[in-house]
Amino acid sequence: MSEISETASGVVWQSSPPGSIYDYIRVASFSIGSDGLVEQWSRRAVDLFGVTAEQAMGKDPVEAFMPPDLRERAHRRVRDILDGKEWTGLVPFRMPGEDEPRGIAEMYVMPSETESGERAALCIVVDVRALRRIETDLAASQAIFGQSPFGFLLFGTDLTVQRTNQRFATVFGGSADDHRGRTVHDYLARSEADRMTAALRKVLDTGQSVTDLQIVGAAPGARDRRHWSINLYRVHSGTGRPIGVAGLGVDVTRRHNAAREAASARRNLALLNEAGARIGNSLDLEATARELLDVAVPGFCDLASVDLYQGLLTGDEAPPGRWGSSHDVGYGAGSAELRRVAHASAVSDTPRRTDEGHGPDSGCGPVPIEVGAVHRFPFNSPCAGALRTGRLRTVPGGEGELVQSTLVVPMVAHDIVVGLVQFSRTKGSEPFGERDRALAVELAARAAVCIDNARLYRREHERALILQRSLLPPGDPEAAGLDIACRYLPGTAATEVGGDWFDVIELPGHRTALVIGDVMGRGLRAAVAMGELRTAVRTLAQLDLEPAEVLSHLDEIARGLGAPIGAQQSRAQKSQKPRGPELSEVYLATCVYAVYDPVTRRCTFANAGHLPPVLVAPGRDAVLVDVPPGMPLGVGGEPFEEVEVELPEGALLALYTDGLVESRDHPLDEGLSAFRRALADQDRPLEDVCDRVLTSLDTGHGEDDIALLMARIQGLPGDAVGDWRLPREPRSVGRARELARAQLRAWDLDPLADTVELLVSELVTNALRYGEGEIRLRLLRDRTLVCEVWDAGLVQPRRRRAKDTDEGGRGLQLVGLLSSSWGSRRTPRGKTVWFELALPDGDGAAAEPTVEQLLSMF
């Protein structure tokens, strides 16, 4: 359309903007006078025929442009036109000077008149080739636009729909013409329509195309949401003037759903992979439950909680319930007792328990109770049903609730129901699908196996800990000439029980055996091995063997603990060719065995691969006692060496296990140096020294057991020891009685004088009769009274029952009746026979023998 504007001089006609239809068909015109010659020649005619106006004016158009064979018929047509007839037809034409036709023109000839009234003609000419191109373009455009399987729209510059195809009309209703003049707000919700309008405006203004614009909406009359991918591009005229925006829409709902399913599958696989890496890193039941929720929230759901059977948490032996066994997991009033051990939420307004829950009296919900509380689910609730059947339940949320739906999943491990996990999604989140249900079952099953393993481990750990603690010395050990303090710290619940042990054993002559050891390995078997070795140590100590001999016997015992698997096989099985040294378990242990004599303040050490003792003399730095380490118990084949060390009065002796000085954070040498520095202030009370060591050292407690045995050397005072040497002659018996009575009188122990005289005379008499060499008598007073008789004979006394006709042989029987305990031991140069009596004011005073007991000897 032409534009008209008004000026001071009147109306001014302005040309139409370029790009009109006439630019495409290129219409030319010229006029013929009454004489049949060209009178006017338009510029378009110049372009079409290639002849200027000067060349065409006054020429006969038939002679100038028509081929010779058509000229006669063309002259007749011209005469008819000049006679007042109109004509339309196709006319071949050639360029001047050429013989062959150059093209075909469609000509429309209209009769006209000159100013003088003479007949003339106006000719309008169109190049047929341009018309055919337009027809072809229109047909192709119509085919593409109308037959496209995709929705196609053409928006004008005012962003209203100018044209749509039938595919678009099929989806949104009506015919294609019914959509003219509409806007995107007639099809989409406001938010989506605004996005689409902004994109159209941007394309129209900038010319930049928009591809794959995702639009969500619903077709008229449909409830399901559809996803469309929109491509927009600006449309121009032939001269480049923007005339609108074309839009191509493709329904990608299936592709979107497939992509969502694929993304869901990838998410589920990623969650399973994360679950495998994060769940079960701890052997703690509550920690495992929290690890499950850390994986599930918010990656899988918005809310989640875990309930475990109370019996499982308290360590009941019977499993909480078996899959499908209702009498195990449910009671008449509902489920068995459970404890809420973990809860996680990704929303701020987490729902609290209501009377409704998920339906009347269901008792289910993402947060029915506080974490740590013990509760039961009602019998008819989905949660109790899931526990009884071992099957997942889907519980929809109620009206007005935040929760959209909840998956109630029993936690089943090895056909044992250990608890329940609930996964919930809030309204607005994607609903749970079949993949989600399968994933929920898998997550619950993985966590259940880890929880069941933690349960079994906790049970074994508690048993091993009980066993281990039962084998340690009860209370605070006491020993003559020693002030003793000890500490034992077992590994935490996350660490298996080790085989650390220590012991304080009273030996004859107020001597004391200090023992510390560590069985290599962990768990119940290590604790059992530790108990067997500790019992063996106490048994060997009562034999009063030298420390090296004790370790040699322990080495044999340790090797026996690691017996081959085939040791109990039948003869037929043993006759088969052996397959190698298959040991059920090789028990290795380290141990330090030390014997302290308070009279001489000398201590004899023997070491089997253990860390060396630490000695702190008054006013000196702590040093490691130079004891040959030897091989660990259970290796065999190597003898053990002894070292005798004189310990100063007031010195501090420390025995310990590697858990005190060794950890993964620092090497052993650093730990030993720190331990020695912690012992620098040895004048403090011994209990305070122990506490200082444990608080100042970076022990990494929980990684290993820690055993610490400390003793402060006091020694027996000189006035608490009576020591005499007697010649080997009969009168030494009477001399021994006199010396003993006098010593007891000096100690204010007169009530024991008669008994001591009698027993001393018996032992000295036996030494004269059966022993060799010089006789030595020694009395020791501490918490009890000890009498020792030494001689050079190697034959050990043996208690026997004398016959009625025997005149002797009742001396040791008498010793056994009148003393608290008695015995004999070997010495480097003979033997020692001893007896012990409780002090008159002591708690352990021996009961006086009855007449019947005395007469039983005869």
Side-chain angles (χ1 to χ4, degrees), residues 791-812:
D791 69 81
L794 297 177
V795 178
Q796 296 287 327
R798 182 171 59 89
R799 184 177 178 179
R800 65 183 179 83
R801 176 172 290 278
K803 297 179 181 180
D804 295 343
T805 57
D806 291 343
E807 295 182 0
R810 297 177 178 86
L812 293 181

Side-chain angles (χ1 to χ4, degrees), residues 541-822:
Q542 296 305 319
L543 297 178
D544 213 350
L545 302 176
E546 296 296 326
E549 292 184 79
V550 172
L551 294 185
S552 296
H553 288 292
L554 282 179
D555 181 56
E556 293 291 336
I557 294 172
R559 281 190 288 168
L561 294 178
I565 292 176
Q568 304 297 329
Q569 292 178 344
S570 64
R571 292 183 178 179
Q573 291 173 320
K574 290 181 179 180
S575 63
Q576 298 176 359
K577 183 178 179 180
R579 294 179 296 175
E582 297 181 356
L583 299 181
S584 58
E585 187 169 351
V586 177
Y587 286 97
L588 298 178
T590 62
C591 179
V592 169
Y593 186 86
V595 176
Y596 171 69
D597 187 343
V599 178
T600 62
R601 293 200 316 275
R602 301 189 69 84
C603 188
T604 305
F605 297 93
N607 189 355
H610 201 81
L611 295 173
V614 175
L615 178 64
V616 188
R620 302 284 186 89
D621 293 333
V623 296
L624 300 177
V625 179
D626 188 12
V627 183
M631 300 298 291
L633 302 176
V635 175
E638 293 293 333
F640 297 97
E641 300 182 45
E642 294 180 358
V643 171
E644 189 176 58
V645 179
E646 183 173 352
L647 305 179
E649 183 75 20
L652 196 63
L653 180 66
L655 306 179
Y656 53 95
T657 56
D658 57 358
L660 181 68
V661 295
E662 186 178 23
S663 93
R664 65 184 66 181
D665 298 326
H666 56 75
L668 177 61
D669 290 343
E670 292 184 9
L672 287 173
S673 298
F675 180 39
R676 291 162 59 187
R677 290 192 299 271
L679 296 174
D681 190 7
Q682 74 269 26
D683 294 333
R684 303 174 64 181
L686 198 56
E687 293 291 338
D688 293 346
V689 175
C690 286
D691 293 337
R692 172 184 171 85
V693 167
L694 294 179
T695 55
S696 62
L697 263 64
D698 182 15
T699 61
H701 177 230
E703 300 175 5
D704 197 1
D705 293 357
I706 295 175
L708 174 63
L709 177 61
M710 303 186 70
R712 177 167 283 130
I713 308 304
Q714 295 175 344
L716 285 181
D719 59 359
V721 179
D723 195 352
W724 307 276
R725 297 182 183 275
L726 302 172
R728 190 170 187 80
E729 54 188 29
R731 66 176 183 169
S732 294
V733 176
R735 178 60 177 163
R737 287 197 300 268
E738 294 173 0
L739 293 172
R741 179 174 287 275
Q743 185 65 63
L744 292 177
R745 187 179 301 114
W747 288 340
D748 294 328
L749 297 177
D750 293 296
L752 299 179
D754 293 338
T755 302
V756 172
E757 278 192 44
L758 176 60
L759 299 184
V760 164
S761 64
E762 289 292 336
L763 295 186
V764 174
T765 299
N766 282 345
L768 288 172
R769 182 177 298 177
Y770 304 108
E772 299 176 5
E774 187 181 38
I775 299 172
R776 183 179 178 185
L777 173 64
R778 189 167 76 169
L779 292 179
L780 306 175
R781 187 197 65 183
D782 192 68
R783 291 176 293 115
T784 61
L785 177 68
V786 174
C787 176
E788 299 176 330
V789 176
W790 298 3
D791 69 81
L794 297 177
V795 178
Q796 296 287 327
R798 182 171 59 89
R799 184 177 178 179
R800 65 183 179 83
R801 176 172 290 278
K803 297 179 181 180
D804 295 343
T805 57
D806 291 343
E807 295 182 0
R810 297 177 178 86
L812 293 181
Q813 284 184 271
L814 188 63
V815 173
L817 283 174
L818 297 179
S819 64
S820 300
S821 60
W822 76 279

